[in-house]
Amino acid sequence: MAGKITMDDIARMAGVTKSTVSRYFNGGSVKESTRERIQEIIEEYNYEPNAFARLKARESNVIGVVVPTLNSKITSRVVTSIGRYLRDQGYETLIKDSDHSTELELKNLQRLITLNVDGILFSAINITEEHRSLIQNSPIPVVVLAQDYPQGICVVYDDYGAGRTMGEYIGSRSRGPVGYMGVEESDEAVGVTRKQGVLDGLKKCSAAEVILAAGDYSYESGVRMARELLDQGPLGAIICATDRLAFGAYRVLEERGLQAGKDVSVVGFGGYDESTLLKPPLTTLQFDSYGLGYLGAETLLKRTRGEPVPKKQIVDFHMIEGNSVIKEK
Amino acid sequence: MAGKITMDDIARMAGVTKSTVSRYFNGGSVKESTRERIQEIIEEYNYEPNAFARLKARESNVIGVVVPTLNSKITSRVVTSIGRYLRDQGYETLIKDSDHSTELELKNLQRLITLNVDGILFSAINITEEHRSLIQNSPIPVVVLAQDYPQGICVVYDDYGAGRTMGEYIGSRSRGPVGYMGVEESDEAVGVTRKQGVLDGLKKCSAAEVILAAGDYSYESGVRMARELLDQGPLGAIICATDRLAFGAYRVLEERGLQAGKDVSVVGFGGYDESTLLKPPLTTLQFDSYGLGYLGAETLLKRTRGEPVPKKQIVDFHMIEGNSVIKEK
DNA sequence: CTGAAAGCGCTTACAG
DNA sequence: CTGAAAGCGCTTACAG
């Protein structure tokens, strides 16, 4: 039975009309005594209004979130953080998974718009012209997460700063050529910005030659790139665009009888839980994913209220030092 | 503009009424020529009907999923799998995260019921009396995931079988006392069933003494339990209820100058990605999470159509052999 | 403070 | 094959 009760049922039982019950929920004026009567009935039946039937309401109190995948520790952190913040603020979170498909990203965005949610947190692998046009024309506020978006509001990781920090870190303590295992440039944040940071950081601190490789985000891709780089001769250091790629590098080093932190320095980005489990533990830069989610949600809510928000916000990172970098003597 | 268009707008542009457009979407009879006209307009405006405005429809075509947390590789796999299946079948997936809170689990369940989704996939840490009563009285079909639920329909991992397999595996190749690092018994599936399997398997194949420890699911808990066990004397093997706990055990072994696979056997359950990265790689049992999600979704859809479904379905597991078990000579 | 009525975007018998 | 009308569960001016 529970759940098939409507606002009208509650109203009847409380001896009022649904208008009054609606006001009860939406902060309209209701006499203290009726308020109590309504409350009793509600508690007895465990009633909650159907959030999606508020077709005529100004706001739906639901925020949509679209993520490129759910199969990622990072995304999990971001979404968990968003959910916590929104819940505290009395909002529903509607999560849509694009499962690595650009087509689905577009569809999900479109769908959230027609669902008339109050706002959208949008995270995509890369933002195409179509994404842009959809976001631009959206009657609903959209905040873009983890990708730069000059046409609108975004909250991003400090990819350039992180890259640069890592570049300087390695540049100042490594000798010999440096290999960089990156990802395709279609991913702005990681493929372009992070890489540029690394290159600039290295250049500032060392004259070492840099050899570039590029692939996708998979473990296998890491293995392939590491082989490709090492086949070209000995390396002083390998900088990997993500920890997962570094896992692949570890595997290849082992195959070749080399040891990270002794024969060659290896570093990554991400600060995955498993990186501390490696032997030796990986030195890596961790981004503040919880901060990203929190800030994104907060910013979006401000937007929906028409409050001013920064066009772009950058969240911090910090280094987790493992033992994978050759010690200076 | 995109998104503010309603079915009525489309209808007007196509020179028909919204009744006809509605029929177009729901498979009613529409003349070929009008069908084409409607289709054109829809494509031009990228229109999609608002799924949540189907207040009067028999079905909403949305399935709710409640998960205990999003911060888990296992859950991610399950949810991704559910999403894929449902999408193929033309359903929306609405994900609700309980964030480790029993109270939220109840709330999420309640909310999905009042949202009048077509069905609910429910996964909870443990199922209390309150959960039971809510599910029992739900006017909407519910399929319980990953926990036994004799009062209704469930899809579960083979916790007993997996435990038993692992128990026999270790029992037949280990000498000396066996330590078991488990979790609290409030978690039926892992805390009780899996443990019982392990104990039965061990008993069948060995007369070795078994020392039990229990804690929560965290890495720190694994560290604590491993210390506790090893403090009581040397062990031939440590069986960990999850891989994460095994990570803690590895850490303690290292502290004490012991090596997994040489001085003591260590095994886990879960088949986490990172387990193969350990040194030595962990021998572990992996459950078929994708299968669980897929089967759960399929079963739920059958239920919504009134088709008969098994009361309980058990998904498979398989062993991933690492190098963490002492070789027999 | 409260109710009657119109409306949100859609669906569904019922006529024609 | 198509439209007019009633209705889904809720909200919102508008009277009183």
Side-chain angles (χ1 to χ4, degrees):
Chain A
M1 263 314 84
K4 272 308 167 204
I5 300 171
T6 81
M7 194 175 271
D8 214 19
D9 298 327
I10 298 290
R12 208 179 343 261
M13 292 175 181
V16 292
T17 63
K18 59 188 158 140
S19 310
T20 307
V21 178
S22 177
R23 259 181 246 112
Y24 169 92
F25 279 108
N26 298 301
S29 45
V30 179
K31 207 205 299 172
E32 188 51 30
S33 62
T34 33
R35 178 176 296 282
E36 280 164 12
R37 210 142 25 91
I38 293 173
Q39 186 172 335
E40 262 176 43
I41 312 277
I42 284 169
E43 278 171 6
E44 183 179 346
Y45 288 88
N46 224 300
Y47 170 78
E48 272 190 87
N50 179 339
F52 291 121
R54 314 182 63 215
L55 258 23
K56 206 183 177 185
R58 307 185 207 295
E59 350 79 14
S60 63
N61 270 10
V62 2
I63 295 292
V65 182
V66 3
V67 296
T69 175
L70 245 19
N71 262 331
S72 144
K73 202 76 193 168
I74 306 292
T75 309
S76 299
R77 285 190 196 136
V78 174
V79 175
T80 298
S81 173
I82 291 172
R84 283 183 192 156
Y85 181 81
L86 256 23
R87 203 179 301 130
D88 279 356
Q89 304 292 316
Y91 280 78
E92 289 276 341
T93 307
L94 211 170
I95 302 162
K96 303 258 63 176
D97 174 14
S98 307
D99 203 10
H100 296 295
S101 150
T102 298
E103 196 192 335
L104 271 178
E105 277 173 356
L106 259 11
K107 257 207 167 136
N108 283 335
L109 190 52
Q110 176 67 50
R111 198 161 305 220
L112 288 176
I113 292 174
T114 87
L115 284 184
N116 204 22
V117 296
D118 288 352
I120 298 174
L121 287 162
F122 188 67
S123 173
I125 311 261
N126 62 332
I127 300 194
T128 68
E129 204 36 69
E130 276 195 277
H131 289 89
R132 228 182 299 279
S133 125
L134 212 46
I135 296 176
Q136 238 50 259
N137 293 313
S138 163
I140 292 168
V142 175
V143 170
V144 173
L145 257 32
Q147 288 280 355
D148 201 11
Y149 189 66
Q151 296 82 2
I153 312 289
C154 62
V155 183
V156 297
Y157 296 121
D158 186 6
D159 276 294
Y160 182 81
R164 184 160 178 125
T165 298
M166 196 55 108
E168 292 179 5
Y169 185 84
I170 288 298
S172 67
R173 58 195 84 198
S174 155
R175 53 207 73 223
V178 175
Y180 181 75
M181 296 174 23
V183 302
E184 306 294 353
E185 301 211 336
S186 61
D187 184 321
E188 266 292 307
V190 181
V192 179
T193 312
R194 191 177 297 179
K195 179 173 75 177
Q196 195 54 53
V198 168
L199 296 179
D200 290 353
L202 279 171
K203 200 187 300 175
K204 190 181 153 205
C205 294
S206 117
E209 183 195 0
V210 181
I211 310 174
L212 297 175
D216 62 37
Y217 282 97
S218 68
Y219 176 77
E220 290 71 26
S221 168
V223 169
R224 200 171 29 69
M225 286 192 271
R227 287 202 182 120
E228 184 185 322
L229 290 176
L230 287 165
D231 282 346
Q232 301 178 45
L235 253 29
I238 302 177
I239 301 180
C240 308
T242 78
D243 283 5
R244 184 164 302 282
L245 297 177
F247 300 162
Y250 265 59
R251 151 90 176 280
V252 173
L253 289 178
E254 193 175 350
E255 280 172 14
R256 308 201 171 190
L258 297 172
Q259 206 183 320
K262 244 179 109 190
D263 306 306
V264 50
S265 295
V266 180
V267 295
F269 290 84
Y272 299 180
D273 294 343
E274 46 266 59
S275 301
T276 63
L277 297 169
L278 292 176
K279 272 241 163 93
L282 180 68
T283 292
T284 174
L285 276 188
Q286 180 166 59
F287 293 100
D288 182 9
S289 305
Y290 284 104
L292 186 89
Y294 184 95
L295 255 186
E298 187 192 48
T299 303
L300 182 58
L301 254 38
K302 279 190 186 157
R303 282 248 47 204
T304 64
R305 293 190 227 103
E307 298 171 22
V309 298
K311 181 176 171 46
K312 176 171 178 175
Q313 292 170 88
I314 303 176
V315 303
D316 210 6
F317 59 84
H318 67 275
M319 186 169 294
I320 300 177
E321 293 206 86
N323 237 316
S324 62
V325 173
I326 302 175
K327 296 269 194 313
E328 303 171 87
K329 72 230 102 277
Chain B
M1 261 316 83
K4 272 308 167 204
I5 300 171
T6 82
M7 193 175 272
D8 214 19
D9 297 328
I10 298 291
R12 205 176 348 256
M13 293 174 181
V16 293
T17 63
K18 58 189 158 136
S19 310
T20 306
V21 178
S22 177
R23 259 182 246 111
Y24 169 92
F25 279 108
N26 298 301
S29 45
V30 180
K31 206 205 300 173
E32 188 51 29
S33 63
T34 35
R35 179 176 295 281
E36 279 164 13
R37 211 144 22 95
I38 293 174
Q39 187 173 334
E40 262 175 44
I41 312 278
I42 284 170
E43 278 170 7
E44 182 180 345
Y45 288 89
N46 224 299
Y47 171 76
E48 272 188 85
N50 179 339
F52 291 122
R54 314 182 63 214
L55 259 23
K56 205 183 179 185
R58 306 185 207 296
E59 350 78 14
S60 63
N61 271 12
V62 3
I63 295 292
V65 182
V66 4
V67 296
T69 175
L70 245 18
N71 262 331
S72 143
K73 202 76 193 166
I74 306 291
T75 309
S76 299
R77 286 191 195 135
V78 174
V79 174
T80 298
S81 173
I82 291 172
R84 283 182 193 157
Y85 181 82
L86 256 25
R87 203 179 301 129
D88 278 356
Q89 304 293 316
Y91 280 77
E92 288 275 342
T93 307
L94 210 170
I95 302 162
K96 302 258 63 178
D97 173 14
S98 307
D99 203 9
H100 297 294
S101 150
T102 298
E103 195 192 335
L104 271 178
E105 277 173 354
L106 260 10
K107 256 207 168 135
N108 282 336
L109 190 52
Q110 175 69 48
R111 198 161 303 219
L112 288 176
I113 292 174
T114 87
L115 284 184
N116 204 24
V117 296
D118 288 352
I120 298 173
L121 287 162
F122 188 67
S123 173
I125 310 260
N126 63 332
I127 300 194
T128 68
E129 204 35 68
E130 277 194 279
H131 289 90
R132 227 181 298 280
S133 123
L134 212 46
I135 296 176
Q136 240 48 260
N137 294 314
S138 164
I140 292 168
V142 176
V143 169
V144 173
L145 257 30
Q147 287 282 353
D148 201 12
Y149 188 66
Q151 296 82 1
I153 312 288
C154 62
V155 182
V156 296
Y157 295 121
D158 187 7
D159 276 294
Y160 182 80
R164 183 158 179 128
T165 298
M166 196 54 109
E168 292 178 6
Y169 185 84
I170 289 298
S172 68
R173 58 195 83 199
S174 156
R175 53 208 73 222
V178 175
Y180 180 75
M181 295 173 25
V183 302
E184 306 294 353
E185 302 211 336
S186 61
D187 184 322
E188 265 293 306
V190 180
V192 179
T193 313
R194 190 177 296 179
K195 179 172 75 178
Q196 195 54 52
V198 168
L199 296 179
D200 291 353
L202 279 172
K203 201 188 298 173
K204 189 181 155 207
C205 295
S206 119
E209 183 193 1
V210 181
I211 310 174
L212 298 175
D216 61 39
Y217 282 97
S218 69
Y219 176 77
E220 290 71 27
S221 167
V223 169
R224 202 171 27 69
M225 286 192 272
R227 288 202 182 120
E228 185 185 321
L229 290 175
L230 288 165
D231 282 346
Q232 301 178 44
L235 253 28
I238 301 178
I239 301 179
C240 308
T242 79
D243 283 6
R244 185 164 302 284
L245 297 177
F247 300 162
Y250 265 60
R251 150 89 178 280
V252 174
L253 290 178
E254 194 176 349
E255 280 172 13
R256 306 199 173 191
L258 297 171
Q259 204 183 320
K262 246 181 105 187
D263 306 305
V264 49
S265 295
V266 180
V267 294
F269 289 84
Y272 298 0
D273 293 343
E274 45 265 61
S275 302
T276 63
L277 297 170
L278 292 176
K279 269 237 166 95
L282 181 68
T283 291
T284 174
L285 277 187
Q286 180 166 57
F287 293 100
D288 182 8
S289 305
Y290 285 104
L292 185 90
Y294 183 94
L295 255 186
E298 187 192 49
T299 303
L300 182 59
L301 254 37
K302 280 190 184 156
R303 282 248 46 204
T304 64
R305 294 190 226 103
E307 298 171 22
V309 298
K311 180 177 172 45
K312 177 171 176 174
Q313 292 171 87
I314 303 175
V315 302
D316 209 7
F317 58 86
H318 66 275
M319 187 168 295
I320 300 177
E321 292 206 86
N323 237 317
S324 62
V325 174
I326 302 175
K327 297 271 194 311
E328 303 173 87
K329 71 232 104 255

